[in-house]
Amino acid sequence: MEFCSFASSSEGNSYLIREGNTNILCDAGTAGKNIKAGLARQGMTYADLDAIVVTHEHTDHIKSIKMVARGAENAGIYMSGGTFAALPGKLRVTPDKLEMISENLVEVSEGNAFRVGDVLVTPFAISHDAREPLGFTFSSGGRKLSIVTDTGIVTDEMLRNFGDSDACVLEANHEKSMLINGPYPYDLKQRIASRYGHLSNDAAARIICEMADIRDKRGKRDHTVGFSGVRVMLGHLSPNNNTPGQALVTVKNVLFENDRYVGEDVDLIVAPRKEPSGLIEV
């Protein structure tokens, strides 16, 4: 299994998951031309997509869903009932204008796994100010990828779903001091830092430590063969309250404080905000 990011920030998010002949797009929150270019970079077009999974209805996750759905006319579109119900207001269209989406819609809910080709997809609830937001794990051939963004906290139940992942797109939205001292209005700062907002760099680092602990306890580490830790792509960085360099420094420092090390326990990269990342093997 492989994955890459087409965009990852507070301004737009979209990820590609590939396994054999199975191609899944998670979110379509950046410009359609960016998704099209990202697919072309992998030798693909919209028509090659087998599924589109949507985490929630905020614009930075659904901006181009109509365009992608039109091009990927044979792809199932998987989202919660709450997310679908919220689409008209977010896309500024009447319900009858969502034909392309509703024709291929498959409503999903937390804990009810479904299969797309060679990949088992498991939705799980996240903590965000949306109607029925979901994170997802993607499993195939004994390997597991998770996408965990747009959540103010990570609960034990969430960790039970993704904690043993071999690879993870994990939100590192803001540096706490940059958010506190930044230009945002007080109410917005409170919303971002709340349990229904976004994960900070520090919170992301502590989750990575827990993931490393879980992998050790479950025997998923093999110290006799090269790298067998968790591959983490830090994503959904705020353009105003974070930088890639700051995210890396904070996460590495917290890992070090907890006797976890990049290159040994964790393979750590930051997703580009607006450009495609390289393809990463899970």
Side-chain angles (χ1 to χ4, degrees):
M1 188 159 49
E2 300 171 310
F3 75 100
C4 66
S5 167
F6 292 156
S8 185
S9 78
S10 297
E11 297 175 329
N13 299 272
S14 187
Y15 309 94
L16 175 68
I17 299 95
R18 304 181 65 177
E19 168 65 17
N21 294 318
T22 303
N23 303 302
I24 302 172
L25 187 75
C26 181
D27 286 339
T30 186
K33 64 179 182 181
N34 294 342
I35 298 174
K36 185 176 181 180
L39 290 169
R41 186 172 175 177
Q42 303 302 331
M44 298 170 58
T45 67
Y46 288 141
D48 293 309
L49 293 174
D50 299 294
I52 304 162
V53 300
V54 180
T55 58
H56 64 292
E57 73 273 11
H58 289 169
T59 305
D60 59 323
H61 295 262
I62 60 155
K63 183 184 301 181
S64 299
I65 186 66
K66 290 190 295 181
M67 180 184 297
V68 176
R70 191 177 301 117
E73 58 183 1
N74 295 318
I77 303 173
Y78 299 80
M79 67 181 75
S80 69
T83 295
F84 182 69
L87 286 185
K90 292 295 181 178
L91 294 175
R92 298 179 183 176
V93 296
T94 57
D96 64 306
K97 297 294 184 182
L98 295 176
E99 297 96 341
M100 187 61 70
I101 295 174
S102 58
E103 286 174 3
N104 295 322
L105 175 69
V106 181
E107 288 193 16
V108 298
S109 58
E110 61 173 299
N112 293 310
F114 57 93
R115 187 167 289 279
V116 179
D118 299 324
V119 180
L120 182 68
V121 185
T122 304
F124 58 91
I126 56 177
S127 181
H128 197 50
D129 54 358
R131 286 281 290 273
E132 192 182 349
L134 297 170
F136 293 95
T137 66
F138 306 86
S139 303
S140 181
R143 306 295 286 176
K144 185 175 183 179
L145 163 70
S146 56
I147 294 182
V148 189
T149 68
D150 296 78
T151 188
I153 57 173
V154 169
T155 63
D156 289 343
E157 179 61 28
M158 291 169 66
L159 271 174
R160 277 191 283 273
N161 279 278
F162 76 84
D164 63 343
S165 296
D166 300 287
C168 181
V169 178
L170 180 64
E171 178 172 58
N173 176 258
H174 60 277
E175 180 70 14
K176 289 181 180 178
S177 61
M178 292 178 68
L179 177 64
I180 292 170
N181 298 313
Y184 282 4
Y186 177 77
D187 287 350
L188 180 54
K189 291 179 181 180
Q190 290 294 101
R191 178 247 169 191
I192 292 170
S194 77
R195 64 183 289 113
Y196 300 109
H198 296 277
L199 294 175
S200 67
N201 293 334
D202 182 80
R206 297 187 186 284
I207 292 161
I208 294 169
C209 291
E210 292 193 64
M211 293 179 71
D213 290 344
I214 290 169
R215 289 176 63 79
D216 282 347
K217 290 176 183 176
R218 296 188 183 179
K220 296 196 78 170
R221 296 292 305 279
D222 184 352
H223 297 281
T224 67
V225 298
F227 179 77
S228 61
V230 58
R231 302 187 188 281
V232 177
M233 174 184 280
L234 300 176
H236 209 290
L237 273 68
S238 165
N240 299 305
N241 301 307
N242 209 355
T243 67
Q246 183 63 64
L248 285 172
V249 166
T250 298
V251 172
K252 286 179 179 178
N253 285 344
V254 174
L255 291 176
F256 182 78
E257 291 167 1
N258 288 272
D259 294 323
R260 295 294 182 178
Y261 304 98
V262 174
E264 181 179 335
D265 302 291
V266 181
D267 181 19
L268 191 65
I269 63 170
V270 177
R273 286 195 176 112
K274 296 183 178 180
E275 298 80 33
S277 71
L279 201 60
I280 300 170
E281 185 175 353
V282 178

